[in-house]
């Protein structure tokens, strides 16, 4: 029961007839969200923060209701053979729910992006210009069976003045239904429209297809999940999409690297947490330091339980190292986002070759360079076409909280609108407000 | 021969076989553009400006070659029955070419967006953050048979450090082929890669389909043209798209309006130029001033040759006015972007009704309010969900040059990435550069 959106849509006349009913239900949900968003768009920060704190309180107060629904999802998942890791991500016990509620309070404490004057000036003809940050309107989030994302996405959307339409993985459907109900009740009790938070989960796969095509009603769709989900959204969506999260990240250890720092950065980038998009998948080593660096690198990685793939030079360096086994790397290794204790290692003759490797294989997320040479650091930062470049620091720092942006909606690997960690500002757009005294164009 | 992209694509096995060859040719063009873009991405402003001035000089020096190709397009267009307006937009005589070259020099004179530090700080742990403005990489522009757009789009893309892949209307194909050749020669002579400017015109409709799906190679696609072209691009594209340019703009004349200013603003918004997206299509009049305002409004519009559509109150007000004829307005009138000397007029009971009308019918481009009442102006600016709001000024000011942004790529009516007039900054993205001293995550 590992649902993926990438599976072919079912066909047949019955389904198509059902499709029209689903389409009108999904569009009605989006229209209601749009109407609700207009109310929140002009709400003060005080009002939004009070609503978020009420949401957090309600989640804790209604914990047993949420946990019971989650238990039903977990039982069904186990019966349908859901893998252990997926079951763990699906689990929402009381302790986790308290942490989720605390995260909502953290979002309330963040500054309000709405109303910021991004640019402003008075023109020679006396027109006063202001470019103001305003909410998007309706944010749609499509994600997998992680019920914490339901709350997380709703909190970020509300804080930035938006309504949110959610579509979670079907394995979490009972949990999500209850969580959404709790959020809507809390908003109503605060005098806000409950349609600020809604879900199209009950409409299944057909529902998400219509959500992705609700042009004029959905202002931005953010897919949060694996590469398959994101590819399917990009293929099917006609509403604006922000792609998030695939990271084939590199660490380049330069000839002028501090090798102790390089070892610490490579280890941290690979092993501090492996299932995340900002972990490293390939280490590139300048040939001049290969003899000195490969033995400690390979030994330390092997000790940390990392499965290793290497080119010929790496294979040769590994010979005779205690406890180190290296498999011959193929193009597939350079291309793979392992998301596991697994690493590819390659020796490159110079910086140009390192840049060429990154250009060929990177997904444009994060690359790190370890060097004491200024020109090398500058060239790497200027020429690597990725969302983030780390100079003498771990790839793991590409993260909203680590970069001081507060909570993050995801990490964008596209170039449009948002690149890298997306904070609250990235859930807003701008509006020009131009004030004159009867100005007309000559 | 009024080609529109919205026409159904041709099918059949032969075409599909040809499609594979076209696909590989289009992807090869995009790959070459991507490689070339890397060279320009790190070029200094001096180098880019010199190249733009060389491009301008080359266009003037090679004018006869361009004009001859244009004459062939014009002859073919006339033979194929192209309408007069389209023929005029297709025409590129020596005088127009000089103006186009001057526009390139104007772009060279604009500040360079690349390298701007958008945000920056030092974190508590000592990591130094900079968010830098960097080029997108490869910008694709799909447009209609207006050869000046070929030069314009190329100049804006180059100034912002990007390569550009063009697809113009087929009625202009000979002109575009020569213009692109002249641009490429000028870039080569400056020691820059000619693949910074390329076209997929020779691959016809099949080519543009592959261009719209060149994921990983095209960083942003900007359609410039009518609603049909934009809708087709949104439907087919899997690369990121910025929608531009449909404008069903409103002028709301409030109860507290200065009626002289209101008349001037309504006339300017409707008649100063009609074929543009920032011209007004509907005037909403508060009931309290309808008696005083409708007669001068209708008379002045009729005198300016404007065909009028109105609701019942407007129809009654028009009775007995010399030279004024008003047709009964339907929902279609509220919905239509006339782009002509044609206007819909409606009387509304209050600001709420005006806002509801705008919410229902606007395309989110520009709306104007004419009022002396502060609260009305503030509410209109806060609650209208459009790219630009004009307070006591003509809708015609939503324009890159008018707002002091310099040349514009188009006017975005979407909320993602760019909203309203798109200048050079909107053809860039950002990159986080994070500098540490061996920093790792705990």
């Amino acid at each position: 029961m590992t649902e993926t959106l990438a599976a072919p849509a079912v066909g047949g006349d019955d389904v198509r007839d059902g499709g029209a009913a689903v389409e009108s239900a999904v569009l009605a949900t989006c229209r209601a969200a749009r109407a609700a968003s207009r109310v929140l768009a002009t709400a003060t920060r005080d009002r939004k923060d009070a609503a978020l704190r009420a949401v957090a309180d309600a989640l804790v107060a209604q914990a047993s209701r949420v946990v019971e629904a989650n238990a039903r999802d977990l039982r069904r998942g186990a019966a349908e053979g859901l893998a252990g890791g997926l079951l763990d991500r699906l689990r929402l016990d009381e302790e986790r729910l308290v942490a989720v509620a605390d995260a909502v309070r953290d979002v309330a404490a963040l500054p309000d992006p709405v109303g910021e004057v991004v640019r402003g000036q008075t023109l020679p003809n006396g027109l006063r210009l202001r470019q103001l940050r305003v909410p998007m309107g309706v944010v749609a989030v499509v994600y997998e069976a992680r019920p914490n994302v339901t709350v997380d996405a709703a909190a970020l959307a509300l804080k930035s003045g938006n309504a949110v339409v959610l579509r979670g993985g079907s394995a979490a459907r009972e949990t999500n239904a209850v969580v959404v109900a709790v959020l809507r009740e809390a908003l109503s009790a605060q005098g806000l429209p409950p349609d600020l938070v809604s879900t199209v989960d009950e409409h299944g796969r057909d529902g998400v297809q219509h959500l992705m095509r609700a042009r004029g009603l959905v202002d931005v769709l953010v897919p949060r999940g694996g590469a398959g989900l994101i590819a399917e959204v990009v293929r099917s969506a006609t509403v604006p999409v922000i792609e998030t999260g695939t990271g084939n990240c590199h660490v380049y250890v330069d000839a002028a690297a501090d090798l102790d720092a390089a070892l610490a950065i490579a280890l941290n980038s690979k092993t501090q947490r492996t299932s995340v998009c900002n972990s490293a998948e390939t280490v590139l080593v300048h040939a001049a330091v290969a003899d000195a660096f490969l033995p400690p690198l390979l030994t330390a990685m092997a000790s940390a339980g990392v499965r290793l793939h290497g080119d010929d030079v790496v294979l040769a360096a590994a010979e005779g190292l205690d406890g180190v086994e290296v498999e011959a790397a193929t193009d597939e290794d350079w291309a793979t986002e392992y998301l596991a204790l697994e690493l590819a290692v390659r020796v490159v003759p110079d910086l140009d070759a390192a840049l060429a490797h990154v250009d060929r294989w990177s997904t444009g997320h994060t690359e790190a360079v370890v060097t004491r040479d200024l020109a090398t650091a500058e060239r790497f930062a200027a020429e690597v076409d990725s969302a983030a470049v780390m100079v003498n620091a771990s790839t793991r720092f590409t993260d909203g909280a680590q970069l001081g942006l507060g909570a993050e909606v995801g990490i964008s690997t596209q170039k449009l609108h948002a690149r890298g960690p997306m904070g609250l500002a990235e859930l807003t757009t701008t509006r020009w407000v131009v004030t004159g005294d009867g100005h007309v164009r000559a």
Side-chain angles (χ1 to χ4, degrees), chain A residues 361-382:
Chain A
W361 299 107
S362 168
T363 55
H365 190 297
T366 300
E367 330 298 338
V369 59
V370 188
T371 187
R372 285 179 296 209
D373 184 70
L374 178 61
T376 299
E378 295 278 317
R379 256 197 82 194
F380 195 88

Side-chain angles (χ1 to χ4, degrees), chain A residues 276-322:
Chain A
V276 287
C277 56
N278 59 13
S279 61
E281 311 296 1
T282 296
V283 171
L284 301 170
V285 179
H286 191 291
V289 292
D291 285 349
F293 187 63
L294 286 176
L297 175 75
L298 300 175
T299 304
M301 287 288 176
S303 305
V306 176
R307 183 174 163 193
L308 294 162
H309 308 261
D311 66 7
D312 288 347
V313 183
V314 175
L315 289 171
E319 273 179 36
L321 291 179
D322 268 357

